[in-house]
Amino acid sequence: MTILAGQLEAACIAAFEAEGLEARWGAVKQSDRPELADFQCNGCMGAAKSAGMNPRELAAKIAPRLAEHAAIDRVDIAGPGFLNIVVTAEALAGAAEHVRSDAKAGGGQAVEAETVVIDFGGPNVAKPMHVGHLRSAVIGDTLVRLLRFLGDQVTGDVHLGDWGLQMGLLIVAVEEEQPDLPYFDAGNEGPFPSEPPVTMEDLSRLYPMASGRSKEDAAYLEKAQNAVAQMQAGRAGYRALLQHFIDVSVAALKVDYGFLDVSFDLWKGESDVDPLIAPMVEDLKDRGLARLDEGAWIIDIARENENVPTVGKDGQERLKNPMPPLMLVNSRGGTGYHATDLATILDRKQEINPDRILYVVDQRQATHFEQVYRASDKAGYVPHERLEHLGFGTVNGKDGKPFKTREGGTLRLADLNAMALEEATKKIGDAGLSGEIGAEEKSEIGRLVARAALRFADLQNQRTTNYVFDLERFTSFEGKTGPYLLYAAVRMKALLRRAGEEGHAPGAIRIENEAERKLALVLDGFALSLRLAREKRMPHYVCEHVYTLAQAFSAFYAASPILKDGVAAEVRASRLGLVEAVLKQLEAGLGILGITAPERM
Ligand code: ARG
């Protein structure tokens, strides 16, 4: 509900109650037919039915009661008994003034603020990030900003992937290149050198090599698996190497995330919960929750009623459960993705005790999270309903398949950023926006445009759908894009600056023409969009709002001269006041999306 809708709803509720009817009939929303009215209340039909009355007659009793309200200009009765409400210009001016003076630009507050951990980013040490990691980073970071804006206590955790086979592959690959390093001496307990023996370039070269080899060479794979097992068992040299790999990777990750203005409160990883795993496993065994299955310790989490009939190879139909057990400890004694995620829940419970943990991870991992959440619930750690997997769709190429580079590989986030920067810089040149702007400022603007392009292109889609990667379109200054929104904000800034230079100050807002009415109504909808985005964990509601706002601003600007000669001083001051309110809310909305507008471009 928008802020004005809230005020109107109070009036409607009072009117229904005055007729001896229930409050619930007084619900008010923005009008489905904006050409007829600003808001509507549909309660008369239901109320009349429950009270055995004629709905239009009831509407005729409610309408005059509402018309007394100061914010209401007119109430029309339509169809079977809809109440179409038109608000006064003063009420709209009040809504716009509220945005201008409110610290949150009319964005409101969460009803029940919570302590939340958001697990997002999820890059894997040494493995390059790909476009899927882009989605997690951008959506997760936006949810952090959104929830924080609304008053939740939020901790963002990157949850590095640093416990799996890739670590073993790297250990083996480094040993082969530099066998004399002290890390490979099994008896060496340290201390080890503080300088890393490898650079990020080394890791990016070694990982694909080792990964490729392990797929063809069984002995090589076995060596890597053994290295992981020894690392997990605590071999000092391997642990020291692991820390070097993490440090080197994190430094590189921070550069890529920084480009997108994505940040984390915690840089923890899977390896950080290692000390929790052994006691957790013991506890689960003791309580009979884990059971031994062909040498592995597993937790059964299937539910009987989920069985689905499946036809086996022999042509026989059998009932099969779609939910495989959770793998706690594998038959080699190693722990993996399941165990680290379960232990991480315990860690977060002990360290932060959140009301809720949100996981922003590819939809394709839905089964994994369902398994972990059921195990957590079963073990009494954190109940299932407080663990939310926020899946997202894939980023596809124009062929509709997951995006690949021209060479057929996955696109690295670093390369993606570079491509976006190049395209944005080109567009800025094309648009002739950069007239007297110096080289340094121009390159900063290029970065802001590229970031706006990538973030908005991702966030404007409903989180769960796939989208097609199209840099050309994302970086365009026209259409529903980040750069278009930056352009709108920059225009407002330029306008206010020019007004200041000409000695015109913003003043009291008055709503006089149709475009101003529309604009004020859009301003009034900000809190609603944020509330929906938080409730559904869907940033696209915020994108919709800022885009609608920018469009309503354009229409207003075309219809309402501001600095032209002949505009009355009060009208000019009011319009400048409106521009101030719009800019403030636009920048607040963009800030939630992690998008910053330059001062000029
Ligand atoms: N590292 C994982 C991957 O690249 C994502 C981690 C997501 N978070 C989690 N708690 N499992 O697929």
Side-chain angles (χ1 to χ4, degrees):
M1 177 165 42
T2 74
I3 295 177
L4 274 175
Q7 294 169 14
L8 301 175
E9 187 161 300
C12 285
I13 289 173
F16 277 99
E17 285 182 336
E19 294 297 328
L21 297 160
E22 283 171 60
R24 67 185 168 116
W25 305 116
V28 169
K29 58 173 193 159
Q30 283 193 325
S31 174
D32 295 335
R33 309 268 311 268
E35 68 285 7
L36 294 183
D38 304 324
F39 295 91
Q40 66 187 63
C41 170
N42 304 344
C44 289
M45 282 77 78
K49 194 170 172 204
S50 74
M53 299 163 79
N54 172 315
R56 274 196 77 103
E57 278 169 20
L58 174 60
K61 287 187 185 159
I62 301 282
R65 291 189 182 276
L66 295 179
E68 286 165 17
H69 193 278
I72 297 177
D73 184 40
R74 205 178 76 228
V75 181
D76 299 327
I77 301 170
F82 292 107
L83 296 168
N84 280 340
I85 305 171
V86 177
V87 291
T88 62
E90 291 70 33
L92 290 172
E97 288 290 9
H98 169 65
V99 170
R100 186 148 68 129
S101 60
D102 180 30
K104 294 195 169 171
Q109 199 76 33
V111 183
E112 276 176 56
E114 294 186 317
T115 300
V116 182
V117 171
I118 306 187
D119 178 317
F120 71 104
N124 299 310
V125 167
K127 285 199 219 172
M129 286 200 276
H130 52 74
V131 286
H133 291 107
L134 166 82
R135 294 218 68 186
S136 176
V138 167
I139 297 169
D141 178 69
T142 301
L143 291 173
V144 170
R145 291 167 187 263
L146 171 72
L147 268 56
R148 227 169 242 164
F149 186 92
L150 292 174
D152 294 302
Q153 270 310 319
V154 189
T155 306
D157 183 1
V158 70
H159 199 72
L160 291 173
D162 58 4
W163 201 236
L165 179 63
Q166 82 266 26
M167 309 318 313
L169 288 167
L170 278 181
I171 293 172
V172 170
V174 173
E175 176 165 25
E176 201 168 70
E177 273 196 3
Q178 310 182 58
D180 298 331
L181 290 176
Y183 309 95
F184 304 113
D185 174 358
N188 192 343
E189 290 290 324
F192 295 97
S194 55
E195 271 303 296
V198 284
T199 62
M200 193 57 215
E201 285 69 49
D202 293 327
L203 295 185
S204 324
R205 172 175 56 81
L206 291 175
Y207 174 73
M209 182 281 292
S211 166
R213 232 174 107 183
S214 71
K215 286 179 187 121
E216 283 150 22
D217 181 347
Y220 193 83
L221 175 64
E222 168 120 23
K223 248 170 105 177
Q225 283 167 335
N226 279 330
V228 183
Q230 290 180 41
M231 175 192 87
Q232 293 191 350
R235 180 164 156 177
Y238 287 1
R239 285 298 178 96
L241 261 187
L242 170 69
Q243 197 54 52
H244 283 313
F245 296 156
I246 294 174
D247 294 342
V248 166
S249 289
V250 165
L253 288 169
K254 284 188 174 165
V255 174
D256 296 344
Y257 284 137
F259 185 84
L260 295 165
D261 204 8
V262 168
S263 59
F264 300 89
D265 304 300
L266 296 178
W267 281 85
K268 285 192 155 186
E270 294 165 348
S271 68
D272 285 297
V273 295
D274 171 45
L276 276 68
I277 290 184
M280 175 181 85
V281 171
E282 274 324 298
D283 170 59
L284 292 168
K285 286 183 191 169
D286 286 350
R287 290 196 283 147
L289 294 167
R291 84 178 161 85
L292 203 54
D293 179 65
E294 297 181 18
W297 285 93
I298 61 169
I299 302 181
D300 289 311
I301 40 104
R303 295 180 188 138
E304 291 262 318
N305 59 6
E306 309 174 301
N307 289 343
V308 282
T310 325
V311 181
K313 281 203 188 90
D314 54 6
Q316 291 287 318
E317 200 182 274
R318 276 184 206 84
L319 285 179
K320 230 185 133 202
N321 194 287
M323 208 39 78
L326 179 122
M327 176 66 66
L328 202 54
V329 184
N330 65 28
S331 53
R332 224 179 280 111
T335 53
Y337 201 34
H338 275 151
T340 51
D341 258 328
L342 193 57
T344 302
I345 291 177
L346 270 182
D347 184 43
R348 289 173 177 155
K349 187 175 166 165
Q350 285 162 13
E351 300 291 323
I352 301 171
N353 195 22
D355 295 312
R356 218 170 271 286
I357 309 177
L358 313 182
Y359 296 76
V360 185
V361 188
D362 196 316
Q363 187 57 38
R364 290 172 291 191
Q365 296 196 23
T367 304
H368 166 78
F369 287 109
E370 183 61 22
Q371 291 169 297
V372 172
Y373 298 170
R374 286 190 189 183
S376 164
D377 196 284
K378 203 169 171 180
Y381 297 162
V382 173
H384 194 318
E385 69 273 14
R386 297 193 163 268
L387 302 166
E388 293 177 37
H389 173 212
L390 308 179
F392 49 77
T394 53
V395 182
N396 292 341
K398 294 202 172 111
D399 58 0
K401 299 208 193 87
F403 189 83
K404 294 267 185 268
T405 60
R406 224 167 289 154
E407 294 73 40
T410 47
L411 179 61
R412 293 171 181 224
L413 192 53
D415 296 335
L416 177 95
N417 288 342
M419 279 162 62
L421 182 59
E422 190 184 325
E423 194 61 36
T425 311
K426 201 179 102 204
K427 288 271 163 57
I428 294 170
D430 290 352
L433 297 169
S434 39
E436 343 117 25
I437 293 176
E440 201 173 307
E441 189 177 348
K442 191 174 166 186
S443 85
E444 175 60 16
I445 294 172
R447 270 195 297 280
L448 294 179
V449 172
R451 177 191 297 163
L454 288 178
R455 289 190 66 127
F456 193 81
D458 191 291
L459 295 169
Q460 66 151 311
N461 302 286
Q462 187 167 327
R463 169 168 54 75
T464 44
T465 57
N466 304 338
Y467 70 90
V468 174
F469 187 79
D470 182 352
L471 214 42
E472 173 69 30
R473 189 164 59 80
F474 297 171
T475 53
S476 169
F477 280 95
E478 277 146 44
K480 197 173 175 183
T481 68
Y484 165 75
L485 293 164
L486 289 194
Y487 182 65
V490 167
R491 229 165 89 181
M492 293 173 213
K493 291 186 187 200
L495 183 66
L496 291 171
R497 219 168 24 233
R498 228 185 91 204
E501 284 159 14
E502 293 178 9
H504 303 306
I509 297 175
R510 300 190 319 205
I511 298 298
E512 284 168 340
N513 67 29
E514 206 35 47
E516 291 172 345
R517 280 191 72 88
K518 283 256 163 62
L519 188 54
L521 280 168
V522 175
L523 284 170
D524 181 48
F526 189 39
L528 174 65
S529 74
L530 299 190
R531 211 202 60 207
L532 279 172
R534 176 178 179 270
E535 218 168 70
K536 304 196 185 302
R537 322 294 193 201
M538 295 271 192
H540 76 273
Y541 288 105
V542 185
C543 296
E544 282 301 318
H545 181 79
V546 291
Y547 181 62
T548 309
L549 183 63
Q551 281 187 309
F553 175 79
S554 281
F556 152 79
Y557 192 56
S560 322
I562 300 178
L563 296 180
K564 275 216 186 93
D565 288 338
V567 177
E570 273 162 39
V571 173
R572 177 180 291 143
S574 157
R575 289 178 180 166
L576 287 171
L578 205 43
V579 176
E580 248 181 11
V582 174
L583 177 61
K584 182 173 180 179
Q585 190 177 81
L586 180 60
E587 289 202 292
L590 290 176
I592 290 171
L593 300 173
I595 295 173
T596 311
E599 283 313 301
R600 54 182 195 161
M601 60 184 186

